[in-house]
Amino acid sequence: MKNPFASLHILDFTHVYSGPYCTMLFADLGAQVLKIEKPEEGDDSRHYLPFKNGQSGYFMYLNRNKKSMTLNLKSKEGKRIVLYLIKRSDIVVENFSPGTMKKLGLDYKEVKKIRPNIIYASISGFGQSGPLCGKPAFDIVAQAMGGMMSITGFPDRPPVKCGASISDANAGIHAAFAIMAALYNREKTGKGQYIDVAMMDTTVSILENYVMQYTLNGIVPKRNGNEHSASAPFDAYQTKDNYVVIATGSNKLFERLIKVMHCEDLIYDSRFATNILRKKHYAELKPVISSWMGKYSTNDIITWLDKAKVPVAPILSIAELVQHPQLQIRNMMVDVNQPGVGNITMPGFPIHFSEINGSVRTPSPLLGENNEEILKNILHYDEKTVQKLKKEKII
Amino acid sequence: MKNPFASLHILDFTHVYSGPYCTMLFADLGAQVLKIEKPEEGDDSRHYLPFKNGQSGYFMYLNRNKKSMTLNLKSKEGKRIVLYLIKRSDIVVENFSPGTMKKLGLDYKEVKKIRPNIIYASISGFGQSGPLCGKPAFDIVAQAMGGMMSITGFPDRPPVKCGASISDANAGIHAAFAIMAALYNREKTGKGQYIDVAMMDTTVSILENYVMQYTLNGIVPKRNGNEHSASAPFDAYQTKDNYVVIATGSNKLFERLIKVMHCEDLIYDSRFATNILRKKHYAELKPVISSWMGKYSTNDIITWLDKAKVPVAPILSIAELVQHPQLQIRNMMVDVNQPGVGNITMPGFPIHFSEINGSVRTPSPLLGENNEEILKNILHYDEKTVQKLKKEKII
């Protein structure tokens, strides 16, 4: 059966992370994603670590399955070309600072005139409205202003961001959800629409119960290391040789844990009778568990707790992760033959469907790799015109 | 115009966080989400902190706009009722341990028999295949095994998880994207399908460039506090009274920063000429910036850097966040009248659409609040039968 995503055309004005992660999910599903990049430099992330043979691994991961065209959007001819491409697109995605697309004459209002049912998604730090609209933002700014940093880290140390740029990724996947919702809506109503996704909004949306702690009880949540905000014991512990994490919120799981620890008397300790009480008295419970964990190796602890069906895990390094059989079998580490670099391994498509096939089919494009193909096959430009555009740095 | 989401029926077998966050997004869009809960106890998160008048803020946030029905799925009559409800559903979502729905006779294979074009999404720790399939997992387990913890925190301290349960939320939003993709596919092909989303897979998918650092260059990424993996200066600094974060990866932003710092000579310092060089020599650059930051108040620094258009931010506490005008104007803090609790504030719907309306219309349901409505209006049970089901603890 034909893949319905293969006939979706996305014009992709995004760079670095939030936008490229969003359009990557569509490209992996088979959509036609044409990435528009600045001539000469391209997407900033082409210059981001790590590199191999001069090519950026940052860029290669996020831009597989896409095509690349360079275009000076400030030039008259560049603008003409992009308007032509918009006419045949279903979706526009951009993550410039608010106002940039308007300055280029490419905001939703203008685009809608030539493509009325377009779905147009903007991803930004703070959104397209409000006093912070237009304030420049990168991931750490959104993690700071979205509340995530204030609750991450140990109480006796400064706030810390989540290692990877999760406010970027999270805005990207929310935007992908929103575009899919708009596509479904378009199927049902025939109408396109504008989508405004902010990194601050979407970070606030994933603060679990932290906002409610304040609005319900006036408690300002603090950094709590590896402890869970509502469950205990739910923490990381040092073992003889490394760390393990456990998650034993329910009475059933807690009983399993203390049986393995041979501390059955804790079952009858009224301080630890429920999850709420264990959370309340965790300062008294923690040393008992820490002391036990410190006596044994991570491997032994995991073997015993796995056997008892207690949620337990080692803290995998990225090296251990890449080689983990679970990810291999789940096709979550895939090999791609990147021209000029050779065979490289990157994370695969993160969802398993029974009918749709998300996969990595083509490596990320070189800068402007598809310029001629687009100009000649779609806009029917001749060789001479293409060369002229190159010379004038319009492409 | 009629909201196309209002005619979507979701039968929701999820609990705690990943699944409820997924179905919340659909409920906010107007879909009919019917939550099936264990009689007497309900969703575990009904017993999670924080509480007000005995009701859980954890639950109230994630289950607004949904209906609740209690059902003993192991009873014959409970099973009969749920099969009837499946027949009129478009989507089933569950986040039990793999195998649980099969034991109940409610796995995709069975459900498909009575509702061939159903979209059936399972969210789990490690997915429905592979050696770890069935291993119990909560957020901290997925953050540990998904590589996130190994790269979060300060290098001289233990690994730390992201404060909120981001592996849960991230699996939930990926599942929501996947369900929307399957809905679009169903519109085009008429076919439903099975969706398998794992917290480990989806965590690995948002590791930014960390996997590539290892697969391209053999480097095992370490914890790096608030530093960015590819950009510098991109960090948190202590000020006279608090912290600020800055994100100045490009030459343009770096120049703006050092002009504000009156350290223009750094522009001509070859160690700091490009983002890649600044990242390489950050240990030499950091003390210069730290020393400057330490001299001034957070407010002054933010005023000066904002004016110079340098990405900068305070690290907002949850209290500051809730009251922030940006979130107020963006409708990201909404008031809901929760029966038995009164007026409460919670995060709003995180996406702004021009045509679709995501909003909080009804508070989260009491346990089994909609039992009678469903049984009488949809299954046409009489009062006597409903009372019998109650007495036998089937509902």
Side-chain angles (χ1 to χ4, degrees):
Chain A
M1 189 173 289
K2 223 178 123 254
N3 172 8
F5 295 97
S7 54
L8 280 179
H9 285 78
I10 301 184
L11 206 58
D12 182 357
F13 296 92
T14 70
H15 55 285
V16 188
Y17 194 14
S18 63
Y21 187 74
C22 170
T23 58
M24 180 190 91
L25 294 171
F26 285 89
D28 286 1
L29 288 177
Q32 312 296 320
V33 178
L34 178 59
K35 190 175 173 88
I36 305 295
E37 300 188 70
K38 283 177 286 196
E40 303 194 69
E41 293 163 66
D43 183 338
D44 286 343
S45 72
R46 287 188 182 271
H47 312 286
Y48 279 12
L49 293 167
F51 297 102
K52 191 165 185 180
N53 294 3
Q55 288 193 53
S56 160
Y58 198 114
F59 183 86
M60 284 190 265
Y61 167 41
L62 294 163
N63 294 283
R64 79 265 187 108
N65 292 327
K66 301 178 188 174
K67 293 185 174 184
S68 166
M69 179 172 196
T70 51
L71 215 44
N72 178 349
L73 297 172
K74 290 173 186 164
S75 71
K76 206 174 147 187
E77 183 62 15
K79 180 87 182 285
R80 214 184 73 82
I81 294 167
V82 87
L83 290 177
Y84 189 94
L85 293 172
I86 283 170
K87 267 190 212 163
R88 54 189 293 286
S89 297
D90 299 281
I91 298 158
V92 163
V93 190
E94 62 95 7
N95 65 341
F96 288 115
S97 291
T100 304
M101 288 299 265
K102 189 169 183 183
K103 266 187 224 156
L104 295 167
L106 294 171
D107 57 326
Y108 177 61
K109 206 179 123 193
E110 289 303 316
V111 165
K112 197 186 170 185
K113 281 182 195 160
I114 56 169
R115 181 66 161 142
N117 68 348
I118 196 88
I119 292 164
Y120 189 122
S122 295
I123 306 171
S124 60
F126 301 100
Q128 309 291 320
S129 59
L132 296 186
C133 174
K135 179 176 159 68
F138 289 87
D139 175 76
I140 196 172
V141 168
Q143 286 202 41
M145 295 199 66
M148 198 59 92
M149 281 181 72
S150 78
I151 55 166
T152 300
F154 292 99
D156 59 337
R157 288 296 291 269
V160 70
K161 72 180 182 80
C162 183
S165 295
I166 52 132
S167 283
D168 262 319
N170 184 55
I173 171 69
H174 276 84
F177 165 77
I179 292 168
M180 278 292 180
L183 274 169
Y184 183 72
N185 188 68
R186 196 180 73 173
E187 284 302 305
K188 294 293 194 184
T189 67
K191 289 179 88 166
Q193 67 186 302
Y194 184 64
I195 297 163
D196 166 11
V197 173
M199 286 161 73
M200 188 181 185
D201 295 347
T202 47
T203 301
V204 168
S205 187
I206 60 163
L207 290 176
E208 206 176 0
N209 60 343
Y210 285 94
V211 168
M212 306 306 286
Q213 287 182 46
Y214 178 71
T215 60
L216 247 60
N217 298 334
I219 292 167
V220 183
K222 300 220 181 326
R223 295 186 286 292
N224 232 343
N226 286 307
E227 295 177 26
H228 190 270
S229 57
S231 276
F234 202 106
D235 206 343
Y237 300 88
Q238 193 149 14
T239 66
K240 226 164 114 179
D241 56 350
N242 207 325
Y243 296 92
V244 298
V245 303
I246 58 168
T248 51
S250 71
N251 285 1
K252 192 173 69 179
L253 294 175
F254 179 63
E255 283 174 23
R256 288 180 190 165
L257 168 71
I258 57 182
K259 271 181 193 160
V260 174
M261 288 169 56
H262 298 296
C263 294
E264 280 89 346
D265 49 326
L266 291 179
I267 297 181
Y268 307 104
D269 192 320
S270 59
R271 291 172 300 169
F272 311 132
T274 66
N275 182 48
I276 292 168
L277 286 167
R278 286 188 295 272
K279 178 80 191 147
K280 196 173 164 192
H281 299 289
Y282 182 57
E284 297 148 66
L285 182 57
K286 187 171 179 162
V288 181
I289 302 173
S290 295
S291 142
W292 184 80
M293 295 278 189
K295 279 188 238 163
Y296 305 102
S297 72
T298 298
N299 255 351
D300 280 349
I301 291 168
I302 287 174
T303 306
W304 300 331
L305 294 183
D306 260 345
K307 204 178 151 195
K309 291 207 167 291
V310 173
V312 62
I315 295 174
L316 295 185
S317 71
I318 301 295
E320 291 167 319
L321 180 99
V322 168
Q323 289 147 12
H324 201 286
Q326 183 70 12
L327 295 180
Q328 298 294 336
I329 283 175
R330 302 269 300 165
N331 218 21
M332 271 308 292
M333 286 295 151
V334 298
D335 289 338
V336 182
N337 189 359
Q338 189 79 29
V341 182
N343 208 45
I344 60 168
T345 302
M346 63 175 65
F349 183 70
I351 301 159
H352 290 64
F353 289 99
S354 66
E355 296 291 326
I356 300 173
N357 182 23
S359 64
V360 184
R361 297 170 310 283
T362 59
S364 72
L366 295 172
L367 181 60
E369 182 175 320
N370 308 96
N371 282 354
E372 295 208 8
E373 172 195 336
I374 305 291
L375 290 171
K376 290 183 178 171
N377 299 350
I378 295 174
L379 283 103
H380 308 295
Y381 281 26
D382 61 18
E383 176 66 22
K384 212 180 125 190
T385 317
V386 171
Q387 289 309 324
K388 192 168 167 281
L389 291 173
K390 262 187 208 167
K391 220 174 133 189
E392 292 171 357
K393 295 189 177 168
I394 287 164
I395 57 172
Chain B
M1 186 174 288
K2 224 182 123 251
N3 172 9
F5 294 98
S7 54
L8 279 180
H9 285 79
I10 300 183
L11 206 57
D12 183 356
F13 296 93
T14 70
H15 55 285
V16 187
Y17 194 13
S18 62
Y21 187 75
C22 169
T23 57
M24 181 191 88
L25 294 170
F26 284 89
D28 287 0
L29 287 177
Q32 311 297 321
V33 178
L34 178 58
K35 189 174 174 88
I36 305 294
E37 301 188 72
K38 281 177 287 194
E40 304 194 67
E41 290 163 67
D43 182 337
D44 286 343
S45 73
R46 287 188 183 269
H47 313 285
Y48 280 13
L49 295 167
F51 296 101
K52 191 167 185 180
N53 293 5
Q55 288 192 52
S56 160
Y58 199 113
F59 183 87
M60 284 189 265
Y61 168 40
L62 294 164
N63 294 284
R64 76 261 188 118
N65 291 329
K66 301 178 189 175
K67 292 186 173 183
S68 165
M69 179 172 193
T70 49
L71 215 45
N72 178 352
L73 297 172
K74 289 175 186 163
S75 70
K76 208 174 146 188
E77 183 62 16
K79 179 87 181 285
R80 212 184 75 83
I81 293 167
V82 86
L83 290 176
Y84 188 93
L85 294 171
I86 284 170
K87 266 190 214 164
R88 55 190 291 287
S89 298
D90 298 280
I91 297 159
V92 163
V93 189
E94 62 95 7
N95 66 341
F96 287 117
S97 291
T100 303
M101 288 300 264
K102 189 169 180 185
K103 264 186 227 157
L104 296 167
L106 293 171
D107 56 325
Y108 177 59
K109 207 179 123 194
E110 290 303 316
V111 166
K112 199 185 169 186
K113 281 182 196 161
I114 55 168
R115 181 67 161 142
N117 68 348
I118 195 91
I119 291 165
Y120 188 122
S122 296
I123 306 171
S124 60
F126 301 100
Q128 309 290 321
S129 59
L132 296 186
C133 172
K135 179 176 159 67
F138 289 86
D139 175 76
I140 196 171
V141 167
Q143 287 203 43
M145 295 200 68
M148 198 58 93
M149 280 182 73
S150 78
I151 56 168
T152 299
F154 292 99
D156 60 336
R157 287 297 291 269
V160 69
K161 73 180 183 79
C162 182
S165 295
I166 51 133
S167 283
D168 262 319
N170 183 54
I173 172 69
H174 275 84
F177 166 77
I179 292 167
M180 279 290 181
L183 275 169
Y184 183 72
N185 187 69
R186 196 181 73 174
E187 284 302 304
K188 293 293 195 184
T189 67
K191 288 178 88 165
Q193 66 186 300
Y194 183 64
I195 297 163
D196 165 11
V197 173
M199 287 161 72
M200 188 181 186
D201 295 349
T202 47
T203 301
V204 168
S205 187
I206 60 163
L207 290 176
E208 208 177 0
N209 61 343
Y210 284 94
V211 167
M212 307 305 286
Q213 288 183 45
Y214 178 71
T215 60
L216 248 60
N217 299 332
I219 292 166
V220 183
K222 302 222 179 322
R223 294 186 288 290
N224 232 344
N226 285 307
E227 296 177 26
H228 190 268
S229 56
S231 277
F234 201 106
D235 207 345
Y237 300 89
Q238 195 149 15
T239 66
K240 225 165 115 177
D241 56 349
N242 207 324
Y243 296 93
V244 298
V245 302
I246 58 166
T248 52
S250 73
N251 285 1
K252 193 173 68 180
L253 294 173
F254 179 63
E255 283 173 24
R256 287 179 190 166
L257 168 70
I258 59 184
K259 270 181 194 160
V260 173
M261 288 169 55
H262 298 296
C263 294
E264 280 89 345
D265 49 325
L266 290 180
I267 297 181
Y268 307 104
D269 192 319
S270 59
R271 290 173 301 170
F272 311 133
T274 66
N275 183 48
I276 292 168
L277 287 166
R278 286 189 293 274
K279 178 78 191 151
K280 197 175 163 187
H281 299 289
Y282 182 58
E284 296 147 67
L285 183 56
K286 184 170 182 164
V288 182
I289 303 173
S290 295
S291 143
W292 183 80
M293 295 279 189
K295 278 187 241 164
Y296 305 103
S297 72
T298 299
N299 256 351
D300 280 348
I301 291 169
I302 287 174
T303 306
W304 301 331
L305 293 182
D306 260 345
K307 204 179 154 196
K309 290 209 168 289
V310 173
V312 63
I315 296 175
L316 295 186
S317 71
I318 300 296
E320 291 167 320
L321 180 99
V322 167
Q323 288 147 11
H324 200 286
Q326 183 70 14
L327 296 180
Q328 299 293 336
I329 283 175
R330 303 271 298 164
N331 217 21
M332 271 308 293
M333 286 294 152
V334 298
D335 289 338
V336 183
N337 189 358
Q338 188 79 30
V341 182
N343 209 43
I344 60 169
T345 302
M346 60 173 69
F349 183 69
I351 301 159
H352 289 64
F353 291 97
S354 66
E355 296 291 327
I356 300 172
N357 181 24
S359 62
V360 183
R361 299 170 310 282
T362 59
S364 72
L366 296 173
L367 181 60
E369 181 174 322
N370 309 97
N371 282 355
E372 294 207 9
E373 171 195 337
I374 305 290
L375 290 172
K376 289 183 179 170
N377 299 350
I378 296 173
L379 283 103
H380 307 295
Y381 281 27
D382 59 19
E383 176 65 24
K384 209 179 126 190
T385 317
V386 171
Q387 290 309 326
K388 192 169 168 278
L389 290 173
K390 262 188 207 166
K391 216 174 136 188
E392 292 171 355
K393 294 185 177 171
I394 288 165
I395 57 173

